[in-house]
Amino acid sequence: AGPQLLAMILEAKFGQHLPLNRQSETYAFQGIELSVSTIAGWVGACTANLEPLVALIEAHVLAAERLHGDDTTVPVLAKGKTITGRVWTYVRDDRPFGSRAPPAAMFHYSRDRTAEHPNQHLAGYAGILQADAYAGYNALYEADRQPGPITEAACWAHGRRKLFELAELSRAPLAIEAVRRIDAIFDAERTINNLPAEARLILRRRHVAPLVTELETWMRESRGKLSRHAPVAKAMDYMLVRWEAFARFLGDGRICLTNNAAERALRGIALGRKSWLFAGSDRGGDRVAA
């Protein structure tokens, strides 16, 4: 197999989401006999040969001052069933604060979603992590962590999502008002995208900070009038109990409002698993990540 054929097979599977059995059938239509096991062996060989490049990408990603982190499910074949594995991503994208460093993403596979995995992936990292409220990240933020604590930055898109659902589906007045106020913050943020971190910070303090302060005051007052079992109260609590992490972007021009960069990076996995359905083994999961 030459490099062009190997590249075409890899791009077809991971770029166009064509399972190897479909590729084998396509070659057969042209009179070329390539069994699934043969192609799978080539994918494994390519993964091994690309390890130095994967290592360089990881080194570049982990040199970032700020990372986006997220994970998604990957079904993995087991005896008579599939189990739910995970693919994790950590994304470096410094363009929102004017950096010219190229964006990149690294991926890892794991058989489960325990906290040991992000702790291992980011063992030598001590910058900013933008992520959702997954408890498995908590050890990364501890003050006595070595080589230093990671700074937590919460995702406003996650905070808005639950309120938006209640506003759209239930037409809950408090949820509608919360979304309106959050959207005003998003609108103000759009005007400072791609500016240097220092300029973003100055404009945030001038235009965005008052909106955030007003939102917090209004939300705490409104929350105090609600039962703890009310859906809107639970949606508000998601943000209020983590308010320090949500407001952290006001003091650091490098922090984004959302974790959308990581969600975009995982889109290929989400699209791909609809076609190839599952990884054949843990080794297959590692190849998917690579």
Side-chain angles (χ1 to χ4, degrees):
Q4 292 90 347
L5 175 60
L6 295 173
M8 190 162 70
I9 288 170
L10 289 175
E11 195 280 327
K13 177 166 185 183
F14 299 108
Q16 301 179 49
H17 318 301
L18 292 174
L20 298 185
N21 65 302
R22 290 191 203 167
Q23 294 192 53
S24 177
E25 292 167 1
T26 300
Y27 287 114
F29 291 146
Q30 301 173 58
I32 302 167
E33 186 177 340
L34 290 177
S35 69
V36 174
S37 61
T38 295
I39 302 176
W42 290 350
V43 171
C46 288
T47 304
N49 279 281
L50 289 170
E51 281 182 3
L53 181 58
V54 172
L56 284 171
I57 292 172
E58 289 197 4
H60 174 68
V61 169
L62 292 173
E65 297 174 340
R66 182 209 59 183
L67 292 179
H68 294 268
D70 204 356
D71 67 281
T72 192
T73 59
V74 174
V76 183
L77 201 60
K79 280 191 176 181
K81 61 177 182 179
T82 59
I83 59 171
T84 303
R86 292 276 167 171
V87 169
W88 308 75
T89 190
Y90 303 94
V91 178
R92 175 179 186 171
D93 188 353
D94 303 338
R95 292 172 295 180
F97 56 91
S99 172
R100 303 182 71 175
M106 68 178 189
F107 296 84
H108 291 281
Y109 163 80
S110 67
R111 196 173 177 82
D112 53 40
R113 202 196 185 203
T114 56
E116 67 180 289
H117 302 300
N119 281 281
Q120 180 182 1
H121 303 155
L122 301 176
Y125 185 72
I128 300 163
L129 178 63
Q130 299 214 221
D132 59 22
Y134 168 53
Y137 296 130
N138 290 348
L140 299 171
Y141 309 137
E142 292 177 358
D144 59 350
R145 175 184 177 268
Q146 296 299 325
I150 288 177
T151 301
E152 178 187 10
C155 172
W156 282 74
H158 278 85
R160 178 185 181 277
R161 192 170 299 160
K162 297 178 186 296
L163 292 162
F164 179 78
E165 290 170 359
L166 292 168
E168 283 287 291
L169 299 177
S170 305
R171 307 301 299 169
L174 287 177
I176 293 171
E177 177 63 13
V179 170
R180 185 191 69 79
R181 289 172 179 267
I182 292 172
D183 284 352
I185 295 170
F186 273 89
D187 289 340
E189 275 287 308
R190 287 189 186 97
T191 65
I192 67 170
N193 257 347
N194 304 317
L195 294 177
E198 298 79 10
R200 281 160 61 96
L201 191 55
I202 291 170
L203 292 171
R204 272 179 177 164
R205 287 172 174 167
R206 186 180 304 163
H207 301 296
V208 183
L211 297 174
V212 174
T213 300
E214 289 170 10
L215 171 66
E216 181 188 11
T217 301
W218 172 84
M219 194 177 282
R220 292 193 185 279
E221 289 176 355
S222 301
R223 173 63 185 87
K225 302 172 185 176
L226 296 170
S227 161
R228 64 176 179 173
H229 301 295
V232 176
K234 293 178 180 177
M236 288 182 174
D237 285 344
Y238 179 89
M239 296 188 70
L240 291 174
V241 299
R242 303 174 179 87
W243 194 259
E244 184 178 350
F246 273 101
R248 189 156 283 135
F249 78 104
L250 296 174
D252 194 325
R254 298 167 297 175
I255 297 175
C256 282
L257 205 57
T258 74
N259 193 37
N260 289 347
E263 295 200 358
R264 287 193 296 270
L266 289 171
R267 186 176 295 162
I269 301 294
L271 290 171
R273 68 184 171 219
K274 292 181 180 179
S275 299
W276 39 257
L277 302 179
F278 53 80
S281 63
D282 289 336
R283 186 172 60 176
D286 288 331
R287 291 176 179 176
V288 167

PDB file of all heavy atoms in Angstrom, residues 62-79:
ATOM      1  N   LEU A  62      -0.415  21.275  24.753  1.00  0.00           N
ATOM      2  CA  LEU A  62      -0.154  21.426  26.189  1.00  0.00           C
ATOM      3  C   LEU A  62       0.740  22.617  26.512  1.00  0.00           C
ATOM      4  O   LEU A  62       0.921  22.953  27.685  1.00  0.00           O
ATOM      5  CB  LEU A  62       0.461  20.140  26.737  1.00  0.00           C
ATOM      6  CG  LEU A  62      -0.493  18.935  26.757  1.00  0.00           C
ATOM      7  CD1 LEU A  62       0.250  17.666  27.145  1.00  0.00           C
ATOM      8  CD2 LEU A  62      -1.664  19.182  27.717  1.00  0.00           C
ATOM      9  N   ALA A  63       1.280  23.279  25.489  1.00  0.00           N
ATOM     10  CA  ALA A  63       2.049  24.504  25.719  1.00  0.00           C
ATOM     11  C   ALA A  63       1.146  25.726  25.794  1.00  0.00           C
ATOM     12  O   ALA A  63       1.626  26.837  26.061  1.00  0.00           O
ATOM     13  CB  ALA A  63       3.078  24.696  24.601  1.00  0.00           C
ATOM     14  N   ALA A  64      -0.152  25.537  25.604  1.00  0.00           N
ATOM     15  CA  ALA A  64      -1.098  26.656  25.610  1.00  0.00           C
ATOM     16  C   ALA A  64      -1.304  27.206  27.013  1.00  0.00           C
ATOM     17  O   ALA A  64      -1.212  26.472  28.006  1.00  0.00           O
ATOM     18  CB  ALA A  64      -2.433  26.208  25.033  1.00  0.00           C
ATOM     19  N   GLU A  65      -1.612  28.484  27.094  1.00  0.00           N
ATOM     20  CA  GLU A  65      -1.962  29.093  28.376  1.00  0.00           C
ATOM     21  C   GLU A  65      -3.377  28.716  28.790  1.00  0.00           C
ATOM     22  O   GLU A  65      -3.718  28.748  29.966  1.00  0.00           O
ATOM     23  CB  GLU A  65      -1.843  30.617  28.284  1.00  0.00           C
ATOM     24  CG  GLU A  65      -0.431  31.107  27.995  1.00  0.00           C
ATOM     25  CD  GLU A  65      -0.390  32.598  27.765  1.00  0.00           C
ATOM     26  OE1 GLU A  65      -1.451  33.195  27.446  1.00  0.00           O
ATOM     27  OE2 GLU A  65       0.689  33.182  27.908  1.00  0.00           O
ATOM     28  N   ARG A  66      -4.206  28.378  27.787  1.00  0.00           N
ATOM     29  CA  ARG A  66      -5.599  28.043  28.062  1.00  0.00           C
ATOM     30  C   ARG A  66      -6.040  26.912  27.154  1.00  0.00           C
ATOM     31  O   ARG A  66      -5.709  26.888  25.967  1.00  0.00           O
ATOM     32  CB  ARG A  66      -6.484  29.268  27.795  1.00  0.00           C
ATOM     33  CG  ARG A  66      -7.956  29.035  28.101  1.00  0.00           C
ATOM     34  CD  ARG A  66      -8.830  29.896  27.221  1.00  0.00           C
ATOM     35  NE  ARG A  66      -8.608  29.626  25.805  1.00  0.00           N
ATOM     36  CZ  ARG A  66      -9.201  30.293  24.818  1.00  0.00           C
ATOM     37  NH1 ARG A  66     -10.008  31.289  25.114  1.00  0.00           N
ATOM     38  NH2 ARG A  66      -8.969  29.980  23.551  1.00  0.00           N
ATOM     39  N   LEU A  67      -6.771  25.941  27.710  1.00  0.00           N
ATOM     40  CA  LEU A  67      -7.294  24.812  26.943  1.00  0.00           C
ATOM     41  C   LEU A  67      -8.804  24.721  27.089  1.00  0.00           C
ATOM     42  O   LEU A  67      -9.377  25.127  28.106  1.00  0.00           O
ATOM     43  CB  LEU A  67      -6.689  23.494  27.433  1.00  0.00           C
ATOM     44  CG  LEU A  67      -5.206  23.247  27.192  1.00  0.00           C
ATOM     45  CD1 LEU A  67      -4.814  21.902  27.784  1.00  0.00           C
ATOM     46  CD2 LEU A  67      -4.875  23.301  25.707  1.00  0.00           C
ATOM     47  N   HIS A  68      -9.441  24.168  26.052  1.00  0.00           N
ATOM     48  CA  HIS A  68     -10.837  23.754  26.132  1.00  0.00           C
ATOM     49  C   HIS A  68     -10.853  22.243  26.285  1.00  0.00           C
ATOM     50  O   HIS A  68     -10.121  21.543  25.566  1.00  0.00           O
ATOM     51  CB  HIS A  68     -11.582  24.129  24.850  1.00  0.00           C
ATOM     52  CG  HIS A  68     -11.708  25.600  24.622  1.00  0.00           C
ATOM     53  ND1 HIS A  68     -12.793  26.330  25.048  1.00  0.00           N
ATOM     54  CD2 HIS A  68     -10.884  26.480  24.013  1.00  0.00           C
ATOM     55  CE1 HIS A  68     -12.641  27.596  24.708  1.00  0.00           C
ATOM     56  NE2 HIS A  68     -11.484  27.716  24.075  1.00  0.00           N
ATOM     57  N   GLY A  69     -11.670  21.706  27.177  1.00  0.00           N
ATOM     58  CA  GLY A  69     -11.736  20.264  27.381  1.00  0.00           C
ATOM     59  C   GLY A  69     -13.159  19.751  27.338  1.00  0.00           C
ATOM     60  O   GLY A  69     -14.092  20.423  27.801  1.00  0.00           O
ATOM     61  N   ASP A  70     -13.344  18.553  26.771  1.00  0.00           N
ATOM     62  CA  ASP A  70     -14.668  17.933  26.725  1.00  0.00           C
ATOM     63  C   ASP A  70     -14.494  16.462  26.369  1.00  0.00           C
ATOM     64  O   ASP A  70     -13.395  16.014  26.032  1.00  0.00           O
ATOM     65  CB  ASP A  70     -15.548  18.638  25.694  1.00  0.00           C
ATOM     66  CG  ASP A  70     -17.049  18.471  25.974  1.00  0.00           C
ATOM     67  OD1 ASP A  70     -17.396  17.738  26.927  1.00  0.00           O
ATOM     68  OD2 ASP A  70     -17.865  19.057  25.242  1.00  0.00           O
ATOM     69  N   ASP A  71     -15.584  15.706  26.434  1.00  0.00           N
ATOM     70  CA  ASP A  71     -15.538  14.289  26.043  1.00  0.00           C
ATOM     71  C   ASP A  71     -16.877  13.896  25.454  1.00  0.00           C
ATOM     72  O   ASP A  71     -17.884  14.588  25.635  1.00  0.00           O
ATOM     73  CB  ASP A  71     -15.202  13.407  27.246  1.00  0.00           C
ATOM     74  CG  ASP A  71     -16.303  13.408  28.294  1.00  0.00           C
ATOM     75  OD1 ASP A  71     -16.399  14.379  29.077  1.00  0.00           O
ATOM     76  OD2 ASP A  71     -17.086  12.439  28.330  1.00  0.00           O
ATOM     77  N   THR A  72     -16.880  12.779  24.727  1.00  0.00           N
ATOM     78  CA  THR A  72     -18.121  12.249  24.168  1.00  0.00           C
ATOM     79  C   THR A  72     -18.066  10.733  24.199  1.00  0.00           C
ATOM     80  O   THR A  72     -16.995  10.140  24.349  1.00  0.00           O
ATOM     81  CB  THR A  72     -18.345  12.759  22.728  1.00  0.00           C
ATOM     82  OG1 THR A  72     -19.690  12.448  22.328  1.00  0.00           O
ATOM     83  CG2 THR A  72     -17.365  12.135  21.747  1.00  0.00           C
ATOM     84  N   THR A  73     -19.220  10.118  24.040  1.00  0.00           N
ATOM     85  CA  THR A  73     -19.312   8.658  24.134  1.00  0.00           C
ATOM     86  C   THR A  73     -18.875   7.987  22.843  1.00  0.00           C
ATOM     87  O   THR A  73     -19.046   8.525  21.747  1.00  0.00           O
ATOM     88  CB  THR A  73     -20.751   8.225  24.453  1.00  0.00           C
ATOM     89  OG1 THR A  73     -21.619   8.712  23.431  1.00  0.00           O
ATOM     90  CG2 THR A  73     -21.192   8.768  25.792  1.00  0.00           C
ATOM     91  N   VAL A  74     -18.322   6.781  22.983  1.00  0.00           N
ATOM     92  CA  VAL A  74     -17.987   5.918  21.851  1.00  0.00           C
ATOM     93  C   VAL A  74     -18.358   4.487  22.235  1.00  0.00           C
ATOM     94  O   VAL A  74     -17.759   3.921  23.150  1.00  0.00           O
ATOM     95  CB  VAL A  74     -16.482   5.987  21.496  1.00  0.00           C
ATOM     96  CG1 VAL A  74     -16.160   4.960  20.423  1.00  0.00           C
ATOM     97  CG2 VAL A  74     -16.101   7.364  21.018  1.00  0.00           C
ATOM     98  N   PRO A  75     -19.357   3.889  21.590  1.00  0.00           N
ATOM     99  CA  PRO A  75     -19.669   2.486  21.873  1.00  0.00           C
ATOM    100  C   PRO A  75     -18.480   1.602  21.497  1.00  0.00           C
ATOM    101  O   PRO A  75     -17.852   1.797  20.455  1.00  0.00           O
ATOM    102  CB  PRO A  75     -20.874   2.198  20.970  1.00  0.00           C
ATOM    103  CG  PRO A  75     -21.455   3.547  20.664  1.00  0.00           C
ATOM    104  CD  PRO A  75     -20.291   4.484  20.611  1.00  0.00           C
ATOM    105  N   VAL A  76     -18.175   0.632  22.364  1.00  0.00           N
ATOM    106  CA  VAL A  76     -17.051  -0.273  22.140  1.00  0.00           C
ATOM    107  C   VAL A  76     -17.571  -1.707  22.216  1.00  0.00           C
ATOM    108  O   VAL A  76     -18.283  -2.074  23.157  1.00  0.00           O
ATOM    109  CB  VAL A  76     -15.938  -0.065  23.198  1.00  0.00           C
ATOM    110  CG1 VAL A  76     -14.748  -0.964  22.894  1.00  0.00           C
ATOM    111  CG2 VAL A  76     -15.507   1.397  23.242  1.00  0.00           C
ATOM    112  N   LEU A  77     -17.216  -2.503  21.231  1.00  0.00           N
ATOM    113  CA  LEU A  77     -17.714  -3.876  21.155  1.00  0.00           C
ATOM    114  C   LEU A  77     -17.204  -4.699  22.330  1.00  0.00           C
ATOM    115  O   LEU A  77     -16.024  -4.659  22.673  1.00  0.00           O
ATOM    116  CB  LEU A  77     -17.249  -4.504  19.837  1.00  0.00           C
ATOM    117  CG  LEU A  77     -18.037  -5.716  19.328  1.00  0.00           C
ATOM    118  CD1 LEU A  77     -19.492  -5.349  19.089  1.00  0.00           C
ATOM    119  CD2 LEU A  77     -17.404  -6.238  18.048  1.00  0.00           C
ATOM    120  N   ALA A  78     -18.119  -5.437  22.964  1.00  0.00           N
ATOM    121  CA  ALA A  78     -17.772  -6.366  24.049  1.00  0.00           C
ATOM    122  C   ALA A  78     -18.565  -7.657  23.812  1.00  0.00           C
ATOM    123  O   ALA A  78     -19.305  -7.775  22.842  1.00  0.00           O
ATOM    124  CB  ALA A  78     -18.108  -5.755  25.403  1.00  0.00           C
ATOM    125  N   LYS A  79     -18.422  -8.623  24.703  1.00  0.00           N
ATOM    126  CA  LYS A  79     -19.086  -9.914  24.505  1.00  0.00           C
ATOM    127  C   LYS A  79     -20.601  -9.747  24.483  1.00  0.00           C
ATOM    128  O   LYS A  79     -21.207  -9.444  25.509  1.00  0.00           O
ATOM    129  CB  LYS A  79     -18.692 -10.885  25.619  1.00  0.00           C
ATOM    130  CG  LYS A  79     -17.342 -11.542  25.413  1.00  0.00           C
ATOM    131  CD  LYS A  79     -17.128 -12.670  26.404  1.00  0.00           C
ATOM    132  CE  LYS A  79     -15.803 -13.392  26.123  1.00  0.00           C
ATOM    133  NZ  LYS A  79     -15.596 -14.510  27.078  1.00  0.00           N
TER     134      LYS A  79
END
